[in-house]
Amino acid sequence: MRKAVCPGSFDPVTNGHLDVFTRAADLADEVVVAVLINHKKAGLFTVDERMELLREVLAPYPNLVVDAFHGLLVDYCRDHGIKAIVKGLRAVSDFDYELQMAQMNYRLSGIETVFVSTNPLYSYLSSSLVKEVASFGGNVEGLVPASVLERMRSKLARPSDATG
Ligand code: PNS
């Protein structure tokens, strides 16, 4: 079985991520959407909440599964028999850092990184921007899945719920 991983923070998952996941799902038998556990960075959603939202959103796709990881991505890939990392490239501005990570991951483990070109509809989209716009009452409908929109609205209405 050919397994790939789409790693990220996904705080929260956006429609841009979803586009990359579904396209990755056509390239491998199984794609793990792996949420980084980062104790140093507080998020709007906890890792468990992010995974729950991802599971809801990915329910229609049988070969997209959700997991979490900490430490090096290449170690997670080795431990889970994953042969490729799939990332979306939104714009040239993503390229420098993504190339650096791809080269480091290859140097560390020989794992390949495959880039898919993000749908131009979502090229400006990021989780941080969505959170910022939503936190000031802006409309992010259509940029995140409906279940995420609903959870964001209730969380932002109760700011004490925001956790790491
Ligand atoms: O959604 P993000 O926060 O941009 O995702 C970044 C992520 C999780 C893909 C990257 O930070 C990562 O792979 N972190 C795991 C630690 C690691 O392997 N670091 C070395 C990268 S070369």
Side-chain angles (χ1 to χ4, degrees), residues 18-70:
L18 189 55
D19 173 56
V20 173
F21 302 156
T22 52
R23 288 161 64 185
D26 282 341
L27 303 175
D29 298 314
E30 182 179 283
V31 176
V32 183
V33 174
V35 182
L36 175 68
I37 300 168
N38 184 352
H39 296 298
K40 292 188 200 135
K41 200 169 152 192
L44 177 63
F45 292 98
T46 66
V47 169
D48 284 346
E49 287 170 334
R50 295 175 213 178
M51 291 174 73
E52 190 186 318
L53 285 169
L54 280 163
R55 287 201 178 98
E56 275 175 42
V57 168
L58 300 182
Y61 307 95
N63 70 332
L64 286 172
V65 299
V66 180
D67 198 6
F69 75 104
H70 57 82

mmCIF file of all heavy atoms in Angstrom, residues 18-70:
data_model
loop_
_atom_site.group_PDB
_atom_site.id
_atom_site.type_symbol
_atom_site.label_atom_id
_atom_site.label_comp_id
_atom_site.label_asym_id
_atom_site.label_seq_id
_atom_site.Cartn_x
_atom_site.Cartn_y
_atom_site.Cartn_z
ATOM 1 N N LEU A 18 -8.413 21.278 2.342
ATOM 2 C CA LEU A 18 -9.279 20.198 1.871
ATOM 3 C C LEU A 18 -9.022 19.897 0.392
ATOM 4 O O LEU A 18 -8.973 18.727 -0.023
ATOM 5 C CB LEU A 18 -10.739 20.613 2.095
ATOM 6 C CG LEU A 18 -11.800 19.567 1.885
ATOM 7 C CD1 LEU A 18 -11.549 18.335 2.731
ATOM 8 C CD2 LEU A 18 -13.185 20.140 2.221
ATOM 9 N N ASP A 19 -8.805 20.951 -0.382
ATOM 10 C CA ASP A 19 -8.483 20.784 -1.810
ATOM 11 C C ASP A 19 -7.191 19.965 -1.972
ATOM 12 O O ASP A 19 -7.134 19.036 -2.780
ATOM 13 C CB ASP A 19 -8.335 22.188 -2.422
ATOM 14 C CG ASP A 19 -7.828 22.149 -3.855
ATOM 15 O OD1 ASP A 19 -8.473 21.489 -4.680
ATOM 16 O OD2 ASP A 19 -6.790 22.781 -4.136
ATOM 17 N N VAL A 20 -6.189 20.285 -1.157
ATOM 18 C CA VAL A 20 -4.915 19.551 -1.244
ATOM 19 C C VAL A 20 -5.115 18.089 -0.809
ATOM 20 O O VAL A 20 -4.627 17.160 -1.468
ATOM 21 C CB VAL A 20 -3.822 20.236 -0.386
ATOM 22 C CG1 VAL A 20 -2.545 19.395 -0.339
ATOM 23 C CG2 VAL A 20 -3.519 21.635 -0.921
ATOM 24 N N PHE A 21 -5.853 17.876 0.278
ATOM 25 C CA PHE A 21 -6.062 16.495 0.772
ATOM 26 C C PHE A 21 -6.742 15.625 -0.285
ATOM 27 O O PHE A 21 -6.340 14.482 -0.514
ATOM 28 C CB PHE A 21 -6.968 16.458 2.007
ATOM 29 C CG PHE A 21 -6.509 17.259 3.187
ATOM 30 C CD1 PHE A 21 -7.436 17.712 4.130
ATOM 31 C CD2 PHE A 21 -5.168 17.552 3.383
ATOM 32 C CE1 PHE A 21 -7.027 18.439 5.225
ATOM 33 C CE2 PHE A 21 -4.751 18.292 4.485
ATOM 34 C CZ PHE A 21 -5.691 18.739 5.407
ATOM 35 N N THR A 22 -7.787 16.175 -0.899
ATOM 36 C CA THR A 22 -8.559 15.338 -1.829
ATOM 37 C C THR A 22 -7.733 15.042 -3.079
ATOM 38 O O THR A 22 -7.848 13.973 -3.670
ATOM 39 C CB THR A 22 -9.903 15.989 -2.202
ATOM 40 O OG1 THR A 22 -9.662 17.317 -2.660
ATOM 41 C CG2 THR A 22 -10.845 16.038 -1.019
ATOM 42 N N ARG A 23 -6.891 15.980 -3.448
ATOM 43 C CA ARG A 23 -6.015 15.711 -4.601
ATOM 44 C C ARG A 23 -4.929 14.713 -4.234
ATOM 45 O O ARG A 23 -4.573 13.838 -5.023
ATOM 46 C CB ARG A 23 -5.458 17.028 -5.123
ATOM 47 C CG ARG A 23 -6.574 17.812 -5.820
ATOM 48 C CD ARG A 23 -6.266 19.252 -5.958
ATOM 49 N NE ARG A 23 -5.115 19.485 -6.813
ATOM 50 C CZ ARG A 23 -4.590 20.696 -7.014
ATOM 51 N NH1 ARG A 23 -5.129 21.752 -6.429
ATOM 52 N NH2 ARG A 23 -3.557 20.832 -7.792
ATOM 53 N N ALA A 24 -4.423 14.810 -3.009
ATOM 54 C CA ALA A 24 -3.433 13.825 -2.532
ATOM 55 C C ALA A 24 -4.069 12.438 -2.487
ATOM 56 O O ALA A 24 -3.408 11.428 -2.764
ATOM 57 C CB ALA A 24 -2.912 14.229 -1.158
ATOM 58 N N ALA A 25 -5.356 12.396 -2.158
ATOM 59 C CA ALA A 25 -6.055 11.109 -2.044
ATOM 60 C C ALA A 25 -6.083 10.353 -3.363
ATOM 61 O O ALA A 25 -6.226 9.131 -3.388
ATOM 62 C CB ALA A 25 -7.480 11.333 -1.537
ATOM 63 N N ASP A 26 -5.937 11.094 -4.484
ATOM 64 C CA ASP A 26 -5.887 10.450 -5.805
ATOM 65 C C ASP A 26 -4.500 9.915 -6.129
ATOM 66 O O ASP A 26 -4.328 9.184 -7.104
ATOM 67 C CB ASP A 26 -6.273 11.456 -6.903
ATOM 68 C CG ASP A 26 -7.764 11.666 -6.977
ATOM 69 O OD1 ASP A 26 -8.515 10.808 -6.463
ATOM 70 O OD2 ASP A 26 -8.181 12.690 -7.535
ATOM 71 N N LEU A 27 -3.513 10.309 -5.347
ATOM 72 C CA LEU A 27 -2.123 9.945 -5.661
ATOM 73 C C LEU A 27 -1.611 8.763 -4.842
ATOM 74 O O LEU A 27 -0.563 8.212 -5.155
ATOM 75 C CB LEU A 27 -1.186 11.143 -5.405
ATOM 76 C CG LEU A 27 -1.495 12.448 -6.151
ATOM 77 C CD1 LEU A 27 -0.550 13.557 -5.707
ATOM 78 C CD2 LEU A 27 -1.365 12.229 -7.659
ATOM 79 N N ALA A 28 -2.312 8.426 -3.766
ATOM 80 C CA ALA A 28 -1.825 7.364 -2.879
ATOM 81 C C ALA A 28 -2.996 6.493 -2.447
ATOM 82 O O ALA A 28 -4.157 6.896 -2.556
ATOM 83 C CB ALA A 28 -1.145 7.982 -1.658
ATOM 84 N N ASP A 29 -2.678 5.300 -1.966
ATOM 85 C CA ASP A 29 -3.749 4.413 -1.498
ATOM 86 C C ASP A 29 -4.351 4.955 -0.200
ATOM 87 O O ASP A 29 -5.550 4.860 0.034
ATOM 88 C CB ASP A 29 -3.194 3.000 -1.252
ATOM 89 C CG ASP A 29 -2.646 2.400 -2.534
ATOM 90 O OD1 ASP A 29 -3.343 2.496 -3.563
ATOM 91 O OD2 ASP A 29 -1.514 1.884 -2.517
ATOM 92 N N GLU A 30 -3.461 5.491 0.649
ATOM 93 C CA GLU A 30 -3.939 6.064 1.918
ATOM 94 C C GLU A 30 -3.151 7.341 2.197
ATOM 95 O O GLU A 30 -1.928 7.362 2.039
ATOM 96 C CB GLU A 30 -3.734 5.076 3.067
ATOM 97 C CG GLU A 30 -4.268 5.626 4.388
ATOM 98 C CD GLU A 30 -4.093 4.617 5.531
ATOM 99 O OE1 GLU A 30 -4.887 3.665 5.590
ATOM 100 O OE2 GLU A 30 -3.161 4.804 6.331
ATOM 101 N N VAL A 31 -3.860 8.372 2.585
ATOM 102 C CA VAL A 31 -3.201 9.634 2.946
ATOM 103 C C VAL A 31 -3.547 9.952 4.396
ATOM 104 O O VAL A 31 -4.726 10.017 4.761
ATOM 105 C CB VAL A 31 -3.660 10.800 2.030
ATOM 106 C CG1 VAL A 31 -3.026 12.111 2.493
ATOM 107 C CG2 VAL A 31 -3.306 10.507 0.582
ATOM 108 N N VAL A 32 -2.506 10.129 5.197
ATOM 109 C CA VAL A 32 -2.718 10.498 6.598
ATOM 110 C C VAL A 32 -2.625 12.012 6.705
ATOM 111 O O VAL A 32 -1.626 12.614 6.293
ATOM 112 C CB VAL A 32 -1.634 9.875 7.519
ATOM 113 C CG1 VAL A 32 -1.932 10.209 8.979
ATOM 114 C CG2 VAL A 32 -1.536 8.377 7.315
ATOM 115 N N VAL A 33 -3.682 12.614 7.202
ATOM 116 C CA VAL A 33 -3.642 14.044 7.511
ATOM 117 C C VAL A 33 -3.160 14.126 8.957
ATOM 118 O O VAL A 33 -3.860 13.706 9.890
ATOM 119 C CB VAL A 33 -5.035 14.680 7.318
ATOM 120 C CG1 VAL A 33 -5.023 16.131 7.769
ATOM 121 C CG2 VAL A 33 -5.468 14.561 5.862
ATOM 122 N N ALA A 34 -1.928 14.593 9.131
ATOM 123 C CA ALA A 34 -1.270 14.493 10.442
ATOM 124 C C ALA A 34 -1.125 15.882 11.070
ATOM 125 O O ALA A 34 -0.483 16.773 10.512
ATOM 126 C CB ALA A 34 0.097 13.830 10.288
ATOM 127 N N VAL A 35 -1.734 16.029 12.233
ATOM 128 C CA VAL A 35 -1.728 17.318 12.942
ATOM 129 C C VAL A 35 -0.501 17.387 13.851
ATOM 130 O O VAL A 35 -0.270 16.482 14.669
ATOM 131 C CB VAL A 35 -3.000 17.459 13.821
ATOM 132 C CG1 VAL A 35 -3.031 18.818 14.518
ATOM 133 C CG2 VAL A 35 -4.260 17.257 12.982
ATOM 134 N N LEU A 36 0.271 18.450 13.695
ATOM 135 C CA LEU A 36 1.454 18.645 14.531
ATOM 136 C C LEU A 36 1.041 19.001 15.962
ATOM 137 O O LEU A 36 0.244 19.920 16.177
ATOM 138 C CB LEU A 36 2.319 19.777 13.966
ATOM 139 C CG LEU A 36 3.529 20.156 14.810
ATOM 140 C CD1 LEU A 36 4.570 19.042 14.822
ATOM 141 C CD2 LEU A 36 4.155 21.462 14.328
ATOM 142 N N ILE A 37 1.591 18.261 16.925
ATOM 143 C CA ILE A 37 1.390 18.610 18.346
ATOM 144 C C ILE A 37 2.536 19.542 18.724
ATOM 145 O O ILE A 37 3.693 19.131 18.753
ATOM 146 C CB ILE A 37 1.414 17.350 19.234
ATOM 147 C CG1 ILE A 37 0.309 16.391 18.801
ATOM 148 C CG2 ILE A 37 1.276 17.719 20.707
ATOM 149 C CD1 ILE A 37 0.431 14.983 19.412
ATOM 150 N N ASN A 38 2.194 20.812 18.931
ATOM 151 C CA ASN A 38 3.215 21.817 19.204
ATOM 152 C C ASN A 38 2.891 22.492 20.536
ATOM 153 O O ASN A 38 2.037 23.383 20.599
ATOM 154 C CB ASN A 38 3.240 22.840 18.056
ATOM 155 C CG ASN A 38 4.338 23.857 18.217
ATOM 156 O OD1 ASN A 38 5.006 23.900 19.246
ATOM 157 N ND2 ASN A 38 4.529 24.684 17.207
ATOM 158 N N HIS A 39 3.584 22.046 21.594
ATOM 159 C CA HIS A 39 3.272 22.575 22.921
ATOM 160 C C HIS A 39 3.700 24.036 23.077
ATOM 161 O O HIS A 39 3.275 24.713 23.999
ATOM 162 C CB HIS A 39 3.930 21.714 23.999
ATOM 163 C CG HIS A 39 3.391 20.309 24.015
ATOM 164 N ND1 HIS A 39 2.070 20.034 24.284
ATOM 165 C CD2 HIS A 39 3.981 19.119 23.755
ATOM 166 C CE1 HIS A 39 1.873 18.726 24.207
ATOM 167 N NE2 HIS A 39 3.017 18.147 23.881
ATOM 168 N N LYS A 40 4.553 24.504 22.147
ATOM 169 C CA LYS A 40 5.060 25.876 22.274
ATOM 170 C C LYS A 40 4.113 26.911 21.683
ATOM 171 O O LYS A 40 4.271 28.099 21.893
ATOM 172 C CB LYS A 40 6.417 25.995 21.568
ATOM 173 C CG LYS A 40 7.523 25.219 22.251
ATOM 174 C CD LYS A 40 8.860 25.551 21.603
ATOM 175 C CE LYS A 40 9.876 24.471 21.918
ATOM 176 N NZ LYS A 40 10.648 24.046 20.766
ATOM 177 N N LYS A 41 3.162 26.444 20.889
ATOM 178 C CA LYS A 41 2.308 27.397 20.173
ATOM 179 C C LYS A 41 0.844 27.193 20.546
ATOM 180 O O LYS A 41 0.290 26.124 20.326
ATOM 181 C CB LYS A 41 2.496 27.184 18.664
ATOM 182 C CG LYS A 41 2.086 28.349 17.811
ATOM 183 C CD LYS A 41 2.573 28.118 16.391
ATOM 184 C CE LYS A 41 1.668 28.820 15.392
ATOM 185 N NZ LYS A 41 1.933 28.383 14.022
ATOM 186 N N ALA A 42 0.249 28.225 21.145
ATOM 187 C CA ALA A 42 -1.163 28.133 21.507
ATOM 188 C C ALA A 42 -2.012 28.280 20.255
ATOM 189 O O ALA A 42 -1.673 29.030 19.351
ATOM 190 C CB ALA A 42 -1.513 29.229 22.496
ATOM 191 N N GLY A 43 -3.092 27.541 20.197
ATOM 192 C CA GLY A 43 -3.956 27.615 19.027
ATOM 193 C C GLY A 43 -5.357 28.037 19.422
ATOM 194 O O GLY A 43 -5.675 28.162 20.608
ATOM 195 N N LEU A 44 -6.186 28.253 18.415
ATOM 196 C CA LEU A 44 -7.599 28.512 18.699
ATOM 197 C C LEU A 44 -8.259 27.201 19.126
ATOM 198 O O LEU A 44 -9.017 27.156 20.085
ATOM 199 C CB LEU A 44 -8.283 29.076 17.445
ATOM 200 C CG LEU A 44 -9.775 29.344 17.557
ATOM 201 C CD1 LEU A 44 -10.072 30.408 18.614
ATOM 202 C CD2 LEU A 44 -10.355 29.788 16.203
ATOM 203 N N PHE A 45 -7.906 26.128 18.406
ATOM 204 C CA PHE A 45 -8.457 24.805 18.720
ATOM 205 C C PHE A 45 -7.367 23.920 19.315
ATOM 206 O O PHE A 45 -6.196 24.025 18.936
ATOM 207 C CB PHE A 45 -8.989 24.129 17.446
ATOM 208 C CG PHE A 45 -10.195 24.804 16.865
ATOM 209 C CD1 PHE A 45 -10.067 25.705 15.813
ATOM 210 C CD2 PHE A 45 -11.465 24.566 17.378
ATOM 211 C CE1 PHE A 45 -11.176 26.347 15.274
ATOM 212 C CE2 PHE A 45 -12.583 25.198 16.855
ATOM 213 C CZ PHE A 45 -12.437 26.102 15.797
ATOM 214 N N THR A 46 -7.744 23.041 20.221
ATOM 215 C CA THR A 46 -6.790 22.052 20.731
ATOM 216 C C THR A 46 -6.520 21.041 19.615
ATOM 217 O O THR A 46 -7.285 20.946 18.637
ATOM 218 C CB THR A 46 -7.362 21.289 21.946
ATOM 219 O OG1 THR A 46 -8.475 20.512 21.497
ATOM 220 C CG2 THR A 46 -7.804 22.226 23.061
ATOM 221 N N VAL A 47 -5.469 20.270 19.793
ATOM 222 C CA VAL A 47 -5.152 19.252 18.788
ATOM 223 C C VAL A 47 -6.321 18.266 18.665
ATOM 224 O O VAL A 47 -6.708 17.871 17.555
ATOM 225 C CB VAL A 47 -3.829 18.535 19.138
ATOM 226 C CG1 VAL A 47 -3.622 17.297 18.267
ATOM 227 C CG2 VAL A 47 -2.659 19.495 18.955
ATOM 228 N N ASP A 48 -6.923 17.900 19.788
ATOM 229 C CA ASP A 48 -8.067 16.974 19.741
ATOM 230 C C ASP A 48 -9.233 17.572 18.951
ATOM 231 O O ASP A 48 -9.889 16.883 18.169
ATOM 232 C CB ASP A 48 -8.539 16.608 21.154
ATOM 233 C CG ASP A 48 -7.601 15.607 21.806
ATOM 234 O OD1 ASP A 48 -6.766 15.012 21.084
ATOM 235 O OD2 ASP A 48 -7.685 15.432 23.036
ATOM 236 N N GLU A 49 -9.475 18.854 19.180
ATOM 237 C CA GLU A 49 -10.574 19.508 18.452
ATOM 238 C C GLU A 49 -10.271 19.579 16.956
ATOM 239 O O GLU A 49 -11.151 19.364 16.118
ATOM 240 C CB GLU A 49 -10.805 20.925 18.996
ATOM 241 C CG GLU A 49 -11.457 20.947 20.360
ATOM 242 C CD GLU A 49 -11.458 22.327 21.006
ATOM 243 O OE1 GLU A 49 -10.582 23.168 20.691
ATOM 244 O OE2 GLU A 49 -12.329 22.573 21.857
ATOM 245 N N ARG A 50 -9.016 19.884 16.631
ATOM 246 C CA ARG A 50 -8.639 19.945 15.204
ATOM 247 C C ARG A 50 -8.837 18.590 14.540
ATOM 248 O O ARG A 50 -9.321 18.482 13.411
ATOM 249 C CB ARG A 50 -7.169 20.352 15.059
ATOM 250 C CG ARG A 50 -6.893 21.754 15.539
ATOM 251 C CD ARG A 50 -5.403 22.041 15.470
ATOM 252 N NE ARG A 50 -5.028 22.937 16.534
ATOM 253 C CZ ARG A 50 -3.796 23.348 16.771
ATOM 254 N NH1 ARG A 50 -2.811 22.942 16.007
ATOM 255 N NH2 ARG A 50 -3.526 24.166 17.763
ATOM 256 N N MET A 51 -8.458 17.531 15.276
ATOM 257 C CA MET A 51 -8.606 16.173 14.724
ATOM 258 C C MET A 51 -10.083 15.813 14.560
ATOM 259 O O MET A 51 -10.479 15.194 13.570
ATOM 260 C CB MET A 51 -7.906 15.158 15.626
ATOM 261 C CG MET A 51 -6.393 15.297 15.592
ATOM 262 S SD MET A 51 -5.599 14.215 16.783
ATOM 263 C CE MET A 51 -5.813 12.630 15.998
ATOM 264 N N GLU A 52 -10.869 16.224 15.529
ATOM 265 C CA GLU A 52 -12.313 15.936 15.460
ATOM 266 C C GLU A 52 -12.921 16.634 14.233
ATOM 267 O O GLU A 52 -13.690 16.032 13.478
ATOM 268 C CB GLU A 52 -12.948 16.457 16.751
ATOM 269 C CG GLU A 52 -14.375 16.054 16.978
ATOM 270 C CD GLU A 52 -14.925 16.744 18.218
ATOM 271 O OE1 GLU A 52 -14.194 16.832 19.250
ATOM 272 O OE2 GLU A 52 -16.067 17.219 18.145
ATOM 273 N N LEU A 53 -12.551 17.907 14.039
ATOM 274 C CA LEU A 53 -13.064 18.647 12.880
ATOM 275 C C LEU A 53 -12.595 17.998 11.585
ATOM 276 O O LEU A 53 -13.369 17.838 10.632
ATOM 277 C CB LEU A 53 -12.596 20.108 12.930
ATOM 278 C CG LEU A 53 -13.317 20.982 13.958
ATOM 279 C CD1 LEU A 53 -12.608 22.324 14.132
ATOM 280 C CD2 LEU A 53 -14.772 21.215 13.544
ATOM 281 N N LEU A 54 -11.328 17.612 11.552
ATOM 282 C CA LEU A 54 -10.799 16.958 10.344
ATOM 283 C C LEU A 54 -11.555 15.662 10.071
ATOM 284 O O LEU A 54 -11.909 15.371 8.919
ATOM 285 C CB LEU A 54 -9.302 16.677 10.507
ATOM 286 C CG LEU A 54 -8.375 17.875 10.260
ATOM 287 C CD1 LEU A 54 -6.988 17.627 10.834
ATOM 288 C CD2 LEU A 54 -8.267 18.169 8.764
ATOM 289 N N ARG A 55 -11.815 14.889 11.126
ATOM 290 C CA ARG A 55 -12.529 13.607 10.917
ATOM 291 C C ARG A 55 -13.919 13.850 10.343
ATOM 292 O O ARG A 55 -14.365 13.115 9.470
ATOM 293 C CB ARG A 55 -12.606 12.822 12.227
ATOM 294 C CG ARG A 55 -11.283 12.225 12.609
ATOM 295 C CD ARG A 55 -11.397 11.043 13.580
ATOM 296 N NE ARG A 55 -10.065 10.532 13.839
ATOM 297 C CZ ARG A 55 -9.330 10.836 14.906
ATOM 298 N NH1 ARG A 55 -9.835 11.594 15.858
ATOM 299 N NH2 ARG A 55 -8.103 10.364 15.043
ATOM 300 N N GLU A 56 -14.587 14.894 10.849
ATOM 301 C CA GLU A 56 -15.922 15.222 10.331
ATOM 302 C C GLU A 56 -15.843 15.575 8.850
ATOM 303 O O GLU A 56 -16.596 15.065 8.024
ATOM 304 C CB GLU A 56 -16.476 16.451 11.066
ATOM 305 C CG GLU A 56 -17.177 16.116 12.381
ATOM 306 C CD GLU A 56 -17.588 17.393 13.110
ATOM 307 O OE1 GLU A 56 -18.085 18.346 12.465
ATOM 308 O OE2 GLU A 56 -17.381 17.428 14.332
ATOM 309 N N VAL A 57 -14.884 16.442 8.529
ATOM 310 C CA VAL A 57 -14.778 16.957 7.169
ATOM 311 C C VAL A 57 -14.330 15.868 6.183
ATOM 312 O O VAL A 57 -14.737 15.849 5.021
ATOM 313 C CB VAL A 57 -13.779 18.149 7.173
ATOM 314 C CG1 VAL A 57 -13.390 18.565 5.788
ATOM 315 C CG2 VAL A 57 -14.354 19.321 7.947
ATOM 316 N N LEU A 58 -13.501 14.950 6.680
ATOM 317 C CA LEU A 58 -12.934 13.929 5.787
ATOM 318 C C LEU A 58 -13.751 12.637 5.766
ATOM 319 O O LEU A 58 -13.373 11.700 5.050
ATOM 320 C CB LEU A 58 -11.481 13.627 6.182
ATOM 321 C CG LEU A 58 -10.536 14.842 6.122
ATOM 322 C CD1 LEU A 58 -9.119 14.444 6.485
ATOM 323 C CD2 LEU A 58 -10.557 15.475 4.734
ATOM 324 N N ALA A 59 -14.852 12.626 6.497
ATOM 325 C CA ALA A 59 -15.671 11.406 6.568
ATOM 326 C C ALA A 59 -16.056 10.854 5.191
ATOM 327 O O ALA A 59 -16.064 9.631 5.001
ATOM 328 C CB ALA A 59 -16.911 11.661 7.423
ATOM 329 N N PRO A 60 -16.348 11.707 4.197
ATOM 330 C CA PRO A 60 -16.728 11.145 2.886
ATOM 331 C C PRO A 60 -15.574 10.507 2.112
ATOM 332 O O PRO A 60 -15.809 9.917 1.055
ATOM 333 C CB PRO A 60 -17.252 12.363 2.102
ATOM 334 C CG PRO A 60 -17.437 13.453 3.089
ATOM 335 C CD PRO A 60 -16.488 13.174 4.210
ATOM 336 N N TYR A 61 -14.348 10.647 2.584
ATOM 337 C CA TYR A 61 -13.192 10.171 1.808
ATOM 338 C C TYR A 61 -12.540 8.991 2.526
ATOM 339 O O TYR A 61 -11.807 9.173 3.499
ATOM 340 C CB TYR A 61 -12.164 11.297 1.626
ATOM 341 C CG TYR A 61 -12.770 12.554 1.052
ATOM 342 C CD1 TYR A 61 -13.190 13.593 1.878
ATOM 343 C CD2 TYR A 61 -12.960 12.692 -0.319
ATOM 344 C CE1 TYR A 61 -13.767 14.740 1.364
ATOM 345 C CE2 TYR A 61 -13.545 13.840 -0.856
ATOM 346 C CZ TYR A 61 -13.939 14.860 0.007
ATOM 347 O OH TYR A 61 -14.516 15.987 -0.511
ATOM 348 N N PRO A 62 -12.798 7.773 2.046
ATOM 349 C CA PRO A 62 -12.358 6.581 2.786
ATOM 350 C C PRO A 62 -10.845 6.430 2.906
ATOM 351 O O PRO A 62 -10.375 5.797 3.847
ATOM 352 C CB PRO A 62 -12.959 5.417 2.002
ATOM 353 C CG PRO A 62 -13.477 5.973 0.730
ATOM 354 C CD PRO A 62 -13.598 7.451 0.862
ATOM 355 N N ASN A 63 -10.076 7.008 1.969
ATOM 356 C CA ASN A 63 -8.618 6.813 2.088
ATOM 357 C C ASN A 63 -7.892 8.016 2.702
ATOM 358 O O ASN A 63 -6.672 8.097 2.642
ATOM 359 C CB ASN A 63 -7.985 6.397 0.757
ATOM 360 C CG ASN A 63 -7.977 7.508 -0.278
ATOM 361 O OD1 ASN A 63 -8.837 8.382 -0.263
ATOM 362 N ND2 ASN A 63 -6.997 7.474 -1.171
ATOM 363 N N LEU A 64 -8.668 8.917 3.311
ATOM 364 C CA LEU A 64 -8.047 10.019 4.061
ATOM 365 C C LEU A 64 -8.270 9.758 5.545
ATOM 366 O O LEU A 64 -9.417 9.671 6.005
ATOM 367 C CB LEU A 64 -8.682 11.354 3.674
ATOM 368 C CG LEU A 64 -8.305 11.921 2.301
ATOM 369 C CD1 LEU A 64 -9.162 13.138 1.962
ATOM 370 C CD2 LEU A 64 -6.826 12.303 2.246
ATOM 371 N N VAL A 65 -7.182 9.578 6.278
ATOM 372 C CA VAL A 65 -7.306 9.292 7.717
ATOM 373 C C VAL A 65 -6.595 10.387 8.513
ATOM 374 O O VAL A 65 -5.732 11.083 7.987
ATOM 375 C CB VAL A 65 -6.738 7.900 8.085
ATOM 376 C CG1 VAL A 65 -7.482 6.801 7.359
ATOM 377 C CG2 VAL A 65 -5.260 7.809 7.783
ATOM 378 N N VAL A 66 -6.972 10.525 9.766
ATOM 379 C CA VAL A 66 -6.468 11.623 10.599
ATOM 380 C C VAL A 66 -5.634 11.066 11.741
ATOM 381 O O VAL A 66 -5.994 10.062 12.357
ATOM 382 C CB VAL A 66 -7.669 12.439 11.156
ATOM 383 C CG1 VAL A 66 -7.179 13.591 12.030
ATOM 384 C CG2 VAL A 66 -8.530 12.964 10.022
ATOM 385 N N ASP A 67 -4.530 11.738 12.003
ATOM 386 C CA ASP A 67 -3.679 11.344 13.132
ATOM 387 C C ASP A 67 -2.980 12.604 13.648
ATOM 388 O O ASP A 67 -3.131 13.687 13.072
ATOM 389 C CB ASP A 67 -2.652 10.293 12.658
ATOM 390 C CG ASP A 67 -2.033 9.503 13.804
ATOM 391 O OD1 ASP A 67 -2.476 9.673 14.970
ATOM 392 O OD2 ASP A 67 -1.104 8.725 13.552
ATOM 393 N N ALA A 68 -2.226 12.452 14.739
ATOM 394 C CA ALA A 68 -1.426 13.564 15.257
ATOM 395 C C ALA A 68 -0.005 13.052 15.440
ATOM 396 O O ALA A 68 0.216 11.851 15.571
ATOM 397 C CB ALA A 68 -1.999 14.056 16.573
ATOM 398 N N PHE A 69 0.952 13.979 15.419
ATOM 399 C CA PHE A 69 2.334 13.555 15.631
ATOM 400 C C PHE A 69 3.094 14.656 16.358
ATOM 401 O O PHE A 69 2.705 15.821 16.336
ATOM 402 C CB PHE A 69 3.028 13.218 14.302
ATOM 403 C CG PHE A 69 3.426 14.426 13.468
ATOM 404 C CD1 PHE A 69 4.750 14.844 13.405
ATOM 405 C CD2 PHE A 69 2.475 15.144 12.759
ATOM 406 C CE1 PHE A 69 5.122 15.951 12.642
ATOM 407 C CE2 PHE A 69 2.838 16.255 11.991
ATOM 408 C CZ PHE A 69 4.150 16.652 11.931
ATOM 409 N N HIS A 70 4.177 14.238 17.033
ATOM 410 C CA HIS A 70 5.099 15.241 17.561
ATOM 411 C C HIS A 70 6.506 14.816 17.200
ATOM 412 O O HIS A 70 6.745 13.677 16.801
ATOM 413 C CB HIS A 70 4.921 15.448 19.071
ATOM 414 C CG HIS A 70 5.084 14.204 19.870
ATOM 415 N ND1 HIS A 70 6.298 13.715 20.245
ATOM 416 C CD2 HIS A 70 4.164 13.322 20.319
ATOM 417 C CE1 HIS A 70 6.120 12.603 20.914
ATOM 418 N NE2 HIS A 70 4.833 12.328 20.970
#
